[in-house]
Amino acid sequence: MSVEVRSERSATGQSGRAVGMPAEDSVGVTMLNKILAIAGVALLLGGVALGFRSVSSSGTDCGSVFAPAAGITPMACDSNLNNSATLVTVLMVLGGLSLVAAIALRFIRSRVTV
């Protein structure tokens, strides 16, 4: 006489979930994770691209945030370079935070499903 003993996991076909917990939750979390990661990379790349974009003031080439013009730049360039640097910093910080959130979400999700 043989008796087959099956756990709840094998009986429900679900792994790591409680009985009755919908599988659709993982789809939403996965989608959110992908959106956060893609947005983070896009923001970082956009910040880098804007950092290398040349800024000019009153016809004078001021250079870019990452490579200001050689020599002494006129005072008119200061505000334009500062504004551009602020925009680059905000974009890169938001991109970094978005990537950190995506990594944290993936880490948390992997710990919950184990």
Side-chain angles (χ1 to χ4, degrees):
M1 177 172 164
S2 69
V3 176
E4 183 179 337
V5 177
R6 296 173 36 170
S7 69
E8 283 185 18
R9 286 184 181 178
S10 62
T12 61
Q14 297 177 347
S15 61
R17 291 185 175 81
V19 176
M21 185 175 175
E24 291 83 28
D25 287 344
S26 65
V27 173
V29 172
T30 302
M31 195 64 169
L32 177 64
N33 195 13
K34 287 181 182 178
I35 290 170
L36 282 172
I38 291 169
V41 169
L43 286 169
L44 282 174
L45 290 176
V48 168
L50 285 176
F52 284 111
R53 184 180 61 115
S54 183
V55 177
S56 64
S57 175
S58 303
T60 304
D61 181 30
C62 301
S64 67
V65 173
F66 295 141
I72 299 173
T73 57
M75 288 182 67
C77 289
D78 291 344
S79 65
N80 289 347
L81 284 173
N82 284 339
N83 291 341
S84 186
T86 301
L87 180 62
V88 168
T89 303
V90 167
L91 284 176
M92 294 187 80
V93 166
L94 288 175
L97 288 175
S98 181
L99 284 176
V100 167
I103 292 168
L105 188 62
R106 175 172 277 203
F107 179 75
I108 291 169
R109 184 170 175 258
S110 70
R111 293 291 181 194
V112 170
T113 59
V114 170

